[in-house]
Amino acid sequence: MDPLRTLWETFFDWESMREALPEMLTVGLPNTLILAVSAALLGSVLGMLLAIAGISRTRWLRWPARVYTDVFRGLPAAATILLIGVGLAPLGMQVWGPNPYPLGILALSLIAAAYIGEIFRSGIQSVEAAQLEGARALGFSWGEAMRMVIIPQGVRRVLPAWVNQLIALIKDSSLVYFLGLVASQRELFRIGQDYAATTGNESALLLAGLFYLALTVPLTHVVNAIDARLRHGRLATQPADEIDDADLALPGAAGGSGR
């Protein structure tokens, strides 16, 4: 029983968890959410630009987008964060002073853009070519057709994958501690690590892990709900005894309507 006792005493010290809990709630959780949400928003904008460039007929747009995607998807996230956080530190000092927080957000955004760009590109390319041809026949320009018809449908189809990327960003935010954040900027993992180093007990790190679970598990269920909604449309929420034969006879009524 000694290994089990050691495991329990190392990771399940409730007093250590109670001591770390207030700072995780007031400092760690807000910073983790700020890092993840900011990177998701900026990464989504950059990702959409990459997606459009990636499907462009102009090779001077298409090739750089593909090179960017290959590089940032291929590099480990920790390496990218260090390259941006350390390599651009002199520029950051001139712009906002000795604060690595914006560089951490930038690094996470650049990583996210590579993945989100591929997600958006696959969604856009999954829309039938006839949709674009129909929009052009109605008098839309290529840009208007893409902006008003193709891109909205493509994004809607890949919403579950986009939410999955947000989950990955929440976890990757723990790597920003490499940049040496100040006390008020520490995210969940860094606070847990500091308490573990101070007390000699790893329970605070386990508590940080529980916070990550509390954030990511509900998002996982959101992904599943969105996916089911998009796959089955209104039939997913309509009681079985209310589904009439006309619903089942219509092509695509049981899936793909997304309404």
Side-chain angles (χ1 to χ4, degrees):
M1 295 296 293
D2 285 342
L4 291 178
R5 171 181 259 180
T6 300
L7 178 66
W8 183 266
E9 292 177 351
T10 302
F11 290 99
F12 295 92
D13 185 341
W14 307 117
E15 182 61 29
S16 296
M17 290 186 181
R18 186 189 65 78
E19 193 177 325
L21 181 60
E23 194 166 7
M24 286 195 176
L25 283 172
T26 59
V27 178
L29 181 59
N31 283 325
T32 294
L33 291 175
I34 289 172
L35 286 169
V37 174
S38 299
L41 294 176
L42 183 56
S44 296
V45 174
L46 295 175
M48 180 57 71
L49 295 177
L50 284 173
I52 295 173
I55 61 176
S56 172
R57 296 179 180 177
T58 305
R59 62 181 180 177
W60 303 114
L61 291 176
R62 188 172 64 251
W63 288 0
R66 291 181 177 177
V67 170
Y68 176 97
T69 300
D70 289 342
V71 169
F72 279 91
R73 290 178 69 189
L75 284 174
T80 302
I81 290 171
L82 285 174
L83 283 171
I84 300 298
V86 177
L88 297 182
L91 177 62
M93 288 283 291
Q94 297 177 6
V95 177
W96 51 69
N99 181 1
Y101 203 77
L103 291 176
I105 293 176
L106 175 61
L108 289 174
S109 301
L110 294 177
I111 296 168
Y115 290 93
I116 294 175
E118 283 297 284
I119 291 171
F120 285 161
R121 183 182 64 81
S122 65
I124 292 170
Q125 290 184 322
S126 73
V127 179
E128 296 78 5
Q131 300 257 4
L132 179 60
E133 295 171 1
R136 295 300 302 274
L138 291 174
F140 288 92
S141 67
W142 185 88
E144 290 173 337
M146 290 295 293
R147 186 176 69 255
M148 301 176 66
V149 178
I150 305 301
I151 291 178
Q153 292 186 71
V155 171
R156 186 179 182 182
R157 293 182 180 186
V158 296
L159 277 178
W162 183 88
V163 178
N164 275 328
Q165 187 57 39
L166 176 58
I167 292 173
L169 277 173
I170 291 174
K171 294 183 289 186
D172 285 346
S173 67
S174 63
L175 299 174
V176 177
Y177 83 92
F178 287 140
L179 303 184
L181 300 175
V182 300
S184 62
Q185 297 172 333
R186 293 175 300 166
E187 35 67 47
L188 288 168
F189 181 79
R190 183 61 183 178
I191 292 176
Q193 192 178 48
D194 288 346
Y195 273 93
T198 302
T199 62
N201 188 281
E202 307 296 329
S203 299
L205 282 173
L206 178 62
L207 179 61
L210 294 176
F211 269 97
Y212 285 112
L213 282 176
L215 291 172
T216 57
V217 169
L219 282 175
T220 301
H221 289 289
V222 168
V223 170
N224 294 336
I226 293 174
D227 188 51
R229 182 71 173 173
L230 294 179
R231 285 177 182 273
H232 303 292
R234 70 186 182 91
L235 296 183
T237 56
Q238 186 175 355
D241 57 358
E242 295 181 9
I243 300 175
D244 55 29
D245 294 337
D247 287 329
L248 300 177
L250 290 173
S257 67
R259 293 183 294 175

